[in-house]
Amino acid sequence: MEIVLNSWLNSPERKEQYSAEDYYAGKHDILNRERTMIGAGGELEVITNVPNNKLVDNQYKKLVDQKTNYVLGKPLTISTGNEAYLELLDDIFNNQMHRKLRMLARHSVSGGIAWLYPYYNSEGEFKVELFPAYEICAVWKDRLHTELDFAMRYYSVSIYDENNRVNKINYVDVYTKDGIFHYRHQGGNLIPEENPHSHYMYVGEKGYNWTRLPLIPFKYNSDETPLISMVKTLQDALNQVLSDFQNNMEEDPRTTILVIKNYDGTNLADFRHNLATFGAIKVTTVDGVQGDVDTLNVEVNAANYQAILMQLKRAIVENGRGFDAKEERMDGDPNQMNIESMYTDIDLDVNAMETEFQAGFEELKWFIDMYLKHQGKGDCTKEKVEFVFNRDIFINEDAKIENCVKSVGIISNKTILARHPWVTNLERELAQLEEDKAAELDEMEAMSAFQNKNKNNNQNKPSSE
């Protein structure tokens, strides 16, 4: 177990997952860049007297947020034929759960995989905890990574000692079907804690374990490849070009190459100091040769930089399978075909992601069903449930509504309602329509009764002669 853990801690995959988190937070490699020159011995030497801008244009974060909001920006729609079961699921998949699922999607895209850990809180309520990819060392039973043998969670806790110094202690929790085993990781060794074992659940003093391993993988793709691996080199190039452009713009006569003719004095350091301090130099004429100072300037062509920057941004979008909402297809009043064309790449990517997430939700459903069963709320293990992702996509509402109107009488009203752009909850909308029809019928009956009453009153009224 120690060999597996230590190998995983130093693996390129985990380093890439940490790199993904850094890049999402704006901590890019460009921030560590140093300007260098070739020294006397042919080796590179760091120079500090030249501009060294370190600019970050975080297209990677934009791409991650794009995919996250596209797939889970809106709450899931849960569909099942059992109304009582649906109400129980709605209580669990509340706004807090949706927020956690959105964070799950973000970590899954960024790290290639993320994990949900179902558990009971102190009040006995069903909850889930999110573990990012770089915390979980998974040991799989099969080559396709569909079933876990066991898993280790590696995390650090900062503790203050009596001198207010921060000590970081590394812990390892090993998740098995027999419960959780707790260790400290020190010097590459696993040292058991004082209380080395705990159960997943407790009722009073008695502990219970799940019959399945309560760690559910939610993968970005079947290969568990993080998004950062597809765009990191392009993101680095974008930052470098942007920073180089700013460096070149800041080059002026006090920092560029100077050609000195008949300068009164030969100490170049003093020359630079006087130029930087006073902004002026003195020249002299020697043997009839006029003193002068010229500069060697490299012309900065902003158009060239702009073209490269645009190409890099487009490459990041294409390789990361995102979309550019500012592209030409979205000018004016775009039709639905142009909108759908813009979303082609992200749709293909998210289709694969949804397939992996559906497998995760299927596993999560089992834990929810066990919880409901133990709470005495019925056995729902055989109930069919569909988790529908409501993708957050730009649409031409006028065209969608017009198509819905044209479909009346051709397909069912339920199918039409499901595709109407203003409908967010189909079952609730159907129920509201029934209420509206019932209210309208009651109003018509009341009006008919009122008219009949007036008619009878007029017939019974004696006529005047």
Side-chain angles (χ1 to χ4, degrees), residues 1-37:
M1 193 160 57
E2 291 175 350
I3 296 176
V4 173
L5 178 65
N6 293 327
S7 176
W8 170 76
L9 288 174
N10 299 305
S11 65
E13 292 79 11
R14 187 167 186 266
K15 291 178 181 178
E16 191 173 50
Q17 291 162 357
Y18 260 115
S19 177
E21 289 300 306
D22 286 340
Y23 268 60
Y24 185 83
K27 302 174 184 177
H28 294 202
D29 288 351
I30 190 70
L31 300 178
N32 301 318
R33 187 177 77 158
E34 296 177 326
R35 294 288 297 272
T36 59
M37 61 171 286

Side-chain angles (χ1 to χ4, degrees), residues 314-353:
R314 186 176 295 112
I316 289 173
V317 171
E318 291 180 357
N319 283 269
R321 292 187 176 181
F323 65 88
D324 183 4
K326 298 178 182 178
E327 66 173 65
E328 296 177 356
R329 282 177 291 182
M330 295 300 290
D331 291 343
D333 186 17
N335 59 44
Q336 194 63 28
M337 184 175 295
N338 285 341
I339 294 174
E340 291 176 357
S341 174
M342 183 184 69
Y343 280 94
T344 299
D345 286 343
I346 194 171
D347 265 328
L348 292 173
D349 203 31
V350 169
N351 284 341
M353 184 178 176

Side-chain angles (χ1 to χ4, degrees), residues 116-134:
L116 276 188
Y117 170 63
Y119 70 99
Y120 292 174
N121 65 8
S122 57
E123 285 77 31
E125 299 172 326
F126 183 85
K127 298 292 182 180
V128 294
E129 186 56 76
L130 167 63
F131 295 149
Y134 54 81

